[in-house]
């Protein structure tokens, strides 16, 4: 049995989130929480809140024990990209892509 938590349309690029997800994949939840608290990346704020949500889902919906939980699966997919225009020299306009992310995090109990 696994409990999942989803984060949709987070205003951060997927490649920035992927770096932090690689750090916590497969770790137990206490170690992962410590890594997220002490890593100076902007994605850590989003992922810390998401991990707390997944732990709460596991405890409340499935009756799992928090001390036996580990991160079984975590991945990020690109969400919709917002297109913006930046004025440039001589009347030109450059496009700016503001990327978003969909993050999925699953926790399981150790056997």
């Amino acid at each position: 049995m696994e409990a999942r938590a989803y984060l949709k349309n987070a205003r951060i690029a997927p490649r920035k989130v992927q770096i932090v997800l690689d750090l916590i994949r497969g770790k137990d939840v206490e170690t992962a929480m410590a890594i997220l608290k002490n890593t100076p990346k902007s994605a850590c704020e989003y992922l810390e809140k998401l991990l707390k949500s997944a732990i709460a889902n596991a405890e409340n919906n499935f009756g799992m024990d928090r001390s036996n939980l580990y991160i079984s699966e975590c991945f990020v997919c690109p969400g919709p990209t917002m297109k913006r225009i930046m004025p440039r020299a001589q009347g030109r306009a450059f496009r700016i892509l503001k990327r978003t992310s969909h993050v999925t995090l699953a926790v399981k109990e150790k056997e």
Side-chain angles (χ1 to χ4, degrees):
M1 184 66 68
E2 73 176 10
R4 290 175 170 262
Y6 302 97
L7 174 63
K8 302 282 185 166
N9 299 318
R11 245 312 275 129
I12 186 167
R15 61 189 293 180
K16 294 179 181 179
V17 178
Q18 186 65 50
I19 293 168
V20 182
L21 285 179
D22 290 339
L23 293 175
I24 63 170
R25 186 175 291 113
K27 304 271 195 307
D28 63 277
V29 293
E30 298 303 327
T31 307
M33 193 63 77
I35 290 170
L36 292 176
K37 284 185 183 293
N38 293 303
T39 303
K41 294 279 190 185
S42 59
C44 288
E45 294 174 29
Y46 293 104
L47 294 178
E48 187 177 338
K49 190 172 180 180
L50 188 65
L51 180 57
K52 286 179 184 175
S53 177
I55 293 168
N57 288 345
E59 290 178 335
N60 296 321
N61 299 346
F62 301 106
M64 296 182 192
D65 182 26
R66 182 188 176 114
S67 60
N68 291 334
L69 292 177
Y70 73 100
I71 298 174
S72 60
E73 186 180 25
C74 57
F75 58 90
V76 61
C77 300
T81 302
M82 298 185 289
K83 278 92 174 176
R84 299 294 182 260
I85 299 298
M86 171 76 95
R88 303 303 290 189
Q90 298 179 0
R92 292 181 177 86
F94 282 9
R95 178 171 277 184
I96 293 179
L97 302 177
K98 295 189 176 274
R99 300 181 190 279
T100 62
S101 303
H102 298 323
V103 186
T104 303
L105 197 140
V107 294
K108 266 187 184 174
E109 256 186 329
K110 292 178 196 157
E111 277 104 44

